[in-house]
Amino acid sequence: MVQATPFLLVLSLALVAPSLSARQSPLLQCVLTGRWTNDLGSNMTIGAVNGKGNFAGSYHTAVTATTNEIQVSPLQGSQHRTNQKNQPTFGFTVNWSFSDSITVFTGQCFMDEKGKEVLKTMWLLRSHVDNIKNDWKAT
């Protein structure tokens, strides 16, 4: 039985170690404030999140469907209070300065396995149309 004890100790540490390393450190948290760049080269800057979870910032898109010159556009958003893993959900609206459209984004801030903050979002663009018959092609 003496020989089995070191083996069982190593085995139990091997089983516990992955769950310990996967657990979030209380010091690690996802913070929206700062500058973000997506895989298409668009840049977003989010200012400080206030006590109610509201924030403002700017978005400079790298892609557009219009022929207008791209301009930095304002954004307004809100973050849900952080959850136990400090990976909050959020949403924001971008009022495009160079077109007559608005985009809403919703997502969550994650900490990846290397401790890097990553935003995962979905978006919905609404463009202006001249009449209700063309509503189908506005979103």
Side-chain angles (χ1 to χ4, degrees), residues 72-90:
V72 175
S73 300
L75 69 81
Q76 294 285 325
S78 184
Q79 169 188 303
H80 193 271
R81 64 177 176 244
T82 56
N83 56 23
Q84 290 179 353
K85 291 188 175 183
N86 295 316
Q87 299 183 133
T89 55
F90 61 90

Side-chain angles (χ1 to χ4, degrees), residues 68-117:
N68 300 340
E69 180 183 343
I70 295 174
Q71 299 173 13
V72 175
S73 300
L75 69 81
Q76 294 285 325
S78 184
Q79 169 188 303
H80 193 271
R81 64 177 176 244
T82 56
N83 56 23
Q84 290 179 353
K85 291 188 175 183
N86 295 316
Q87 299 183 133
T89 55
F90 61 90
F92 60 89
T93 302
V94 178
N95 185 358
W96 300 110
S97 299
F98 57 93
S99 73
D100 55 0
S101 59
I102 289 183
T103 301
V104 293
F105 292 79
T106 185
Q108 185 172 354
C109 188
F110 290 99
M111 298 297 292
D112 71 10
E113 39 308 312
K114 295 179 182 176
K116 181 181 175 188
E117 296 163 312

Side-chain angles (χ1 to χ4, degrees), residues 6-41:
F7 173 75
L8 291 175
L9 179 60
V10 171
L11 179 61
S12 66
L13 287 175
L15 294 174
V16 172
S19 64
L20 289 175
S21 64
R23 192 176 308 161
Q24 289 285 33
S25 163
L27 299 176
L28 291 178
Q29 64 178 357
C30 224
V31 178
L32 294 180
T33 302
R35 184 179 165 143
W36 299 88
T37 302
N38 71 12
D39 19 344
L40 298 176

Side-chain angles (χ1 to χ4, degrees), residues 45-58:
T45 302
I46 295 178
V49 178
N50 70 20
K52 293 183 178 181
N54 299 322
F55 58 87
S58 61

